[in-house]
Amino acid sequence: MYYKNVIARPFPDPESLVEEVSRIIDHTNLRPEASEKELEKTCREAVDYGFYACCVPGFFVEKAVKIVDGAAKVVTVAGFPHGNSPRAVKVAEVKAAFEKGADEVDVVVNISLVKSGLLEEAVSEVQEILDVANESGGVLKVILETGYLTAEEVYRLGRELARIGVHFLKTSTGFGPRGATPEDILVMRRAVEGTRTKLKAAGGIRTGLQALFFYLLGVERIGTSSSLQIVNDLRALKELLH
């Protein structure tokens, strides 16, 4: 049911291989022990390497905005990493992030509600958060944390979130039981079919070949803290393809 037409994009021209993948990367540093100096470095790397965005903790958003100065987007997270903060707290967190200048917020769905069969309640919470994002002119990505969900739960949740118009579905936080898998993306692709909702693969993507494969699967964004390794791998692959 979920696994038709695996490859969604043609293989990029070797000359543009590195750029094609780099431009969809959210260069991420959400380590709890990351210093401000390290977070600043992440932001500068996003600009220097042509990544789509830097993804940093909420407290650092204002500084990140100044550092990238429009040369990259600023992404942050909310309800992270477990998704079980009270609804009002998550709404306030997302609102504050946009007010501080974030372009996008990645919020974790309430996984407990989903696993309890309370899908409607989980989606209702996201709808309230989505309203905040739309009013702010920002982008909302909803993290499903697929490692905790069955394929059927991923499909049903993804379908309902796409129905209300979330901008992105995202696989994982990077702090859950596992990261993104190709199977996750195929299920999510089927769930968003016929809608404008896009996909972000994140969690455990550490090599150029992994990133390239997710690119070929059709994701519009890749979240990773291994962006520089990915670029180096892709540069080496580019040389091999000549």
Side-chain angles (χ1 to χ4, degrees), residues 171-200:
T171 54
S172 319
T173 61
F175 293 85
R178 63 168 174 80
T181 68
E183 291 82 3
D184 290 335
I185 297 303
L186 296 176
V187 174
M188 290 161 66
R189 259 176 43 191
R190 185 66 181 270
V192 304
E193 194 172 16
T195 73
R196 295 183 178 181
T197 300
K198 300 175 182 180
L199 303 182
K200 176 176 175 177

Side-chain angles (χ1 to χ4, degrees), residues 50-211:
F51 299 134
Y52 185 86
C54 58
C55 183
V56 295
F59 84 93
F60 200 72
V61 165
E62 288 178 300
K63 291 184 179 179
V65 171
K66 292 177 181 177
I67 292 167
V68 301
D69 193 25
K73 300 293 186 183
V74 174
V75 182
T76 192
V77 292
F80 194 88
H82 299 128
N84 54 10
S85 306
R87 178 190 290 215
V89 172
K90 290 166 85 170
V91 170
E93 197 174 2
V94 172
K95 184 177 181 181
F98 286 124
E99 288 175 346
K100 290 177 181 177
D103 298 291
E104 304 180 357
V105 176
D106 295 9
V107 65
V108 186
V109 75
N110 190 313
I111 304 161
S112 182
L113 291 177
V114 177
K115 297 302 293 185
S116 299
L118 301 173
L119 186 63
E120 185 176 340
E121 188 174 342
V123 173
S124 172
E125 177 182 273
V126 174
Q127 177 69 74
E128 187 173 351
I129 295 169
L130 179 62
D131 290 342
V132 171
N134 287 336
E135 289 167 7
S136 303
V139 170
L140 183 72
K141 307 194 203 81
V142 181
I143 305 172
L144 309 188
E145 199 67 280
T146 51
Y148 289 124
L149 307 178
T150 65
E152 181 62 22
E153 287 169 335
V154 170
Y155 176 74
R156 291 181 61 235
L157 175 60
R159 184 181 59 188
E160 288 304 301
L161 292 174
R163 178 186 60 79
I164 66 172
V166 300
H167 306 116
F168 278 84
L169 301 183
K170 176 179 171 182
T171 54
S172 319
T173 61
F175 293 85
R178 63 168 174 80
T181 68
E183 291 82 3
D184 290 335
I185 297 303
L186 296 176
V187 174
M188 290 161 66
R189 259 176 43 191
R190 185 66 181 270
V192 304
E193 194 172 16
T195 73
R196 295 183 178 181
T197 300
K198 300 175 182 180
L199 303 182
K200 176 176 175 177
I205 304 173
R206 300 186 178 94
T207 70
L209 284 178
Q210 285 178 306

Side-chain angles (χ1 to χ4, degrees), residues 25-57:
I25 288 178
D26 286 352
H27 186 39
T28 303
N29 190 345
L30 296 170
R31 293 183 294 107
E33 81 282 11
S35 67
E36 289 208 359
K37 185 175 180 180
E38 289 171 323
L39 293 172
E40 180 178 333
K41 182 172 180 284
T42 296
C43 297
R44 297 196 186 285
E45 288 171 344
V47 174
D48 293 343
Y49 283 82
F51 299 134
Y52 185 86
C54 58
C55 183
V56 295

Side-chain angles (χ1 to χ4, degrees), residues 6-18 20-21 23 208-218 233-242:
V6 173
I7 301 302
R9 278 199 187 101
F11 198 95
D13 185 286
E15 286 300 322
S16 61
L17 172 64
V18 179
E20 284 292 310
V21 178
R23 67 182 178 83
L209 284 178
Q210 285 178 306
L212 177 58
F213 189 45
F214 281 108
Y215 169 90
L216 295 174
L217 289 177
D233 289 350
L234 292 175
R235 286 173 176 167
L237 178 59
K238 176 182 175 180
E239 292 302 313
L240 290 173
L241 293 172
H242 277 294

